[in-house]
Amino acid sequence: PARDAAVGAIARHLAVHGGIALVIDYGHDRSAPGDTLQAVKRHRFADPLADPGEQDLTAHVDFEVVERTAVEAGARVCGPVGQGDWLQRLGIGERAQSLIASNPERRHDIEQAVERLCGQGQMGRLFKVMAIRPASWPEPAGFGR
């Protein structure tokens, strides 16, 4: 309920006043049954009910519900697309090559960072990007093929 209220408020505001909201998180394109509640402690998955206050709790975003809520509030939605595809369309490869050219000693670090952000076995597929915008605004960069 809190998610729907927040998305609805943001979408209504954008529909009237303009602007774009980017939603970037890990989750599913389409709703599916099952639990997405997770806990992470010391960089490892943990039992969500163990050690209250001692670990990070999180849940996958249901992007289908976010989209439906935004559209019902009068906004348009682009995506979701995988974070890796989105970043590639925005030019992360070219930016990485520019950084490497300026910092050749950091080549390995830069390449590892790009792989973490864009790799299909990393954040590139698990994380999704969605834009919420007014109907009168064009599709933002990174969402078109």
Side-chain angles (χ1 to χ4, degrees), residues 73-85:
R76 292 264 174 94
V77 172
C78 301
V81 299
Q83 175 178 285
D85 292 338

Side-chain angles (χ1 to χ4, degrees), residues 29-30 63 67 77-82 128-132 139 143:
D29 290 346
R30 298 293 161 226
F63 281 96
E67 177 180 4
V77 172
C78 301
V81 299
K128 308 289 187 291
V129 183
M130 174 183 278
I132 303 172
E139 180 177 84
F143 290 92

Side-chain angles (χ1 to χ4, degrees), residues 120-143:
Q120 294 302 299
Q122 301 277 332
M123 296 169 69
R125 187 173 64 198
L126 178 60
F127 277 64
K128 308 289 187 291
V129 183
M130 174 183 278
I132 303 172
R133 64 182 171 91
S136 60
W137 281 47
E139 180 177 84
F143 290 92

Side-chain angles (χ1 to χ4, degrees), residues 60-72:
H60 290 202
V61 172
D62 185 336
F63 281 96
E64 183 176 15
V65 173
V66 171
E67 177 180 4
R68 183 173 52 244
T69 302
V71 169
E72 288 173 357

Side-chain angles (χ1 to χ4, degrees), residues 36-51:
T36 67
L37 178 65
Q38 296 179 356
V40 177
K41 184 175 183 178
R42 295 187 182 112
H43 305 286
R44 298 186 192 284
F45 290 111
D47 178 353
L49 302 177
D51 303 320

